[in-house]
Amino acid sequence: MTAPTPLLVFAGSTRAQSFNRRLARVAAELGRAAGAQVTLLELAEHELPLYNADLEARGTPDAARRLKEIFHAHPAWIVCSPEYNGSYTGLLKNTIDWVSSPIKGDPEWSSGTKPFAGKVVGLLSASPGALGGLRSLSHLSPLLLNLQCWLTPRQFALAKAGEAFDAEGRLVNAAALASVQGVVEQTLHAARKLNAP
């Protein structure tokens, strides 16, 4: 019996009514239905200061260490990225900057790419606009590739997100749900292949 694939799902937003947090919850449910062991990560529970090398020199924050451990423990990720000014959020960039920063003198985290290298990442976005946050994914992709992640060919941007969810947070459009499911399933499939014994 093959062990369930650990799948990490998170949004680059902490806003209470965030469309991308709603989309992350949908993706997490689809991951569970596909047999994955899902961790739905809320970045609000791991608050980090704005990255600063002088601050880091006084000690890496505990939240950054915890996030390194969480990212590293999951071979498959789904990232739901909001679009701010045509790109991804400062929150998402700051999280990645902290998690990818090596900890000098620490044998476990001396490599900045350790939490990222070899992870299979599926990208989703949601926006009230017509493009669904697609431009954020075009900026996020090279950042993750630079950290040695594998990106799935399938990505999905949910347009008109203000009309896309019902009161319980479910996607009301069957085609949109199928698109999210396609990204989740491709991410899990690739992660299982890359991590096969």
Side-chain angles (χ1 to χ4, degrees), residues 38-124:
V38 177
T39 299
L40 181 58
L41 175 68
E42 291 286 358
L43 292 181
E45 297 173 3
H46 302 269
E47 286 193 41
L48 289 165
L50 189 63
Y51 180 79
N52 179 302
D54 291 336
L55 176 62
E56 184 182 36
R58 297 197 290 270
T60 298
D62 289 342
R65 288 179 177 270
R66 287 195 300 272
L67 286 169
K68 284 175 180 286
E69 292 167 358
I70 292 168
F71 280 31
H72 181 62
H74 294 78
W77 303 354
I78 297 291
V79 181
C80 300
S81 176
E83 181 178 295
Y84 287 9
N85 295 313
S87 190
Y88 47 82
T89 62
L91 170 69
L92 190 51
K93 180 63 162 62
N94 192 55
T95 300
I96 291 171
D97 286 347
W98 273 114
V99 175
S100 64
S101 184
I103 302 177
K104 292 177 183 175
D106 187 313
E108 186 173 10
W109 302 116
S110 59
S111 169
T113 57
K114 180 178 176 179
F116 297 87
K119 307 306 179 186
V120 177
V121 184
L123 295 179
L124 302 172

Side-chain angles (χ1 to χ4, degrees), residues 21-31 165 169-171 177 180:
R21 288 180 64 228
R22 292 185 209 178
L23 190 58
R25 289 193 288 271
V26 170
E29 286 301 317
L30 290 169
F165 300 92
R170 295 180 295 242
L171 281 174
L177 183 62
V180 176

